[in-house]
Amino acid sequence: MSKELARELIGAGVHFGHGVSRRNPKMEPYIFGKRGMIHIINVKETLKGLLISKKLLARVVSEGKDVVFVGTKRQAQKGVQKAAEQCGMHYVSQRWLGGTLTNFRTIRSRLQRLEELEEMEAAGRMEEESKKQGARLKRELRKIKTNLDGIRRMNRLPGAVVVVDARKEYIALREARKLGIATVGIIDTDSDPDTVDVAIPANDDSIKAVEIIMHELAAAVAEGKTMVRAAEPLEVGSAPRRRSRRRVLASASDTEEEEPQPQAAETAPQPEVSEPAGAENPQ
């Protein structure tokens, strides 16, 4: 991680947390201090979480698995969609439908329905229906496309889920944990870091900060695609075992070739007391 990235994140207001009264006690290790009634996030911890997340995602993708980016809050929608398109992965930016992972077969059936409706619209068959029926079909098409268009090419369960704001995307995180899917989350000072496998402490209300982090994660996914290796076949009669959170964290922090800790993570400048122009400061 370069010093330029650290400065860019600070300039985007990545270090501004929520009000002191909203602090989650489990976020104490990630808090540098407070300015007035606002907590300041330790940028070194942000860079550390970002580095571990990039290694984890690169490894997951190199095993031939997919990644889903999730961010349904207004501040995260644009960054999540751009990151997914940048690396050719899947995203959910409008609404996470309950059962998207745990009831994946039903979701696939809805996507098939989406394709049917699009074919009807392209062929002009919707116009041949009655006015009421045509309006109903068009409304159904818009609804399915809005919610599921970002995962329409996802034909199997992903290997990792990246979320913005662990509090808001708790349903997605619960489903991923139930299925043993690795999770990465951008968490603010009011979130619980135990809900994700790898936490990136940051201001999840700053549009610019979220876009920078998503861009870095998407670059790691793109890099993982370049080193895809064939997955080892399972033995007959054996089932894949779930990995615990500790095992995921350990595998993400270790690399096949020992690398020195990036200098920028240790020498990252701490946030100044003055608030940068344009940075959002949620209360």
Side-chain angles (χ1 to χ4, degrees), residues 106-169:
T106 300
I107 297 298
R108 287 302 310 169
S109 68
R110 298 305 296 162
L111 289 172
Q112 292 176 358
R113 175 61 175 168
L114 173 61
E115 294 176 357
E116 293 176 3
L117 292 173
E118 287 179 338
E119 290 178 1
M120 290 180 63
E121 184 181 38
R125 295 201 299 273
M126 283 188 181
E127 304 299 332
E128 299 175 358
E129 300 286 343
S130 64
K131 186 175 181 180
K132 182 177 181 180
Q133 178 68 3
R136 187 187 68 81
L137 292 175
K138 290 180 180 179
R139 186 166 56 249
E140 181 183 2
L141 172 61
R142 287 194 303 268
K143 184 177 180 180
I144 299 177
K145 191 170 184 178
T146 298
N147 294 327
L148 300 178
D149 192 49
I151 59 173
R152 65 187 307 165
R153 295 182 294 105
M154 189 171 72
N155 299 317
R156 56 182 177 177
L157 289 175
V161 175
V162 180
V163 304
V164 179
D165 193 346
R167 289 190 63 186
K168 184 172 180 60
E169 312 301 344

Side-chain angles (χ1 to χ4, degrees), residues 5 36 65 76 109 119 122 144 146 151 176 195 202 205 207 236 250 256:
L5 175 60
K65 301 176 182 178
S109 68
E119 290 178 1
I144 299 177
T146 298
I151 59 173
T195 57
D205 291 309
I207 298 176
V236 178
E256 296 179 0

Side-chain angles (χ1 to χ4, degrees), residues 49-69 83 87 89 158-163 181-185 197-198 200 213-228 243 248 251-253:
L50 184 57
L51 177 64
I52 296 175
S53 300
K54 292 179 68 173
K55 291 180 180 178
L56 172 62
L57 294 180
R59 178 167 297 183
V60 167
V61 175
S62 69
E63 294 172 355
K65 301 176 182 178
D66 293 340
V67 176
V68 177
F69 294 87
C87 59
M89 285 297 172
V161 175
V162 180
V163 304
I181 298 173
T183 55
V184 174
D197 292 326
V198 182
I200 305 176
I213 295 175
M214 288 290 104
H215 174 76
E216 292 292 323
L217 297 180
V221 172
E223 181 182 354
K225 283 185 173 182
T226 63
M227 50 184 182
V228 174
R243 294 185 297 175
V248 171
S251 63
S253 59

Side-chain angles (χ1 to χ4, degrees), residues 208-270:
K208 183 62 176 176
V210 170
E211 288 182 352
I212 294 173
I213 295 175
M214 288 290 104
H215 174 76
E216 292 292 323
L217 297 180
V221 172
E223 181 182 354
K225 283 185 173 182
T226 63
M227 50 184 182
V228 174
R229 55 176 178 268
E232 297 180 0
L234 295 173
E235 296 180 2
V236 178
S238 64
R241 295 183 298 176
R242 296 180 183 176
R243 294 185 297 175
S244 65
R245 178 180 290 103
R246 293 181 179 177
R247 198 171 297 175
V248 171
L249 289 172
S251 63
S253 59
D254 298 333
T255 54
E256 296 179 0
E257 297 180 5
E258 200 66 28
E259 298 178 356
Q261 185 70 13
Q263 188 67 18
E266 297 182 1
T267 61
Q270 293 301 332

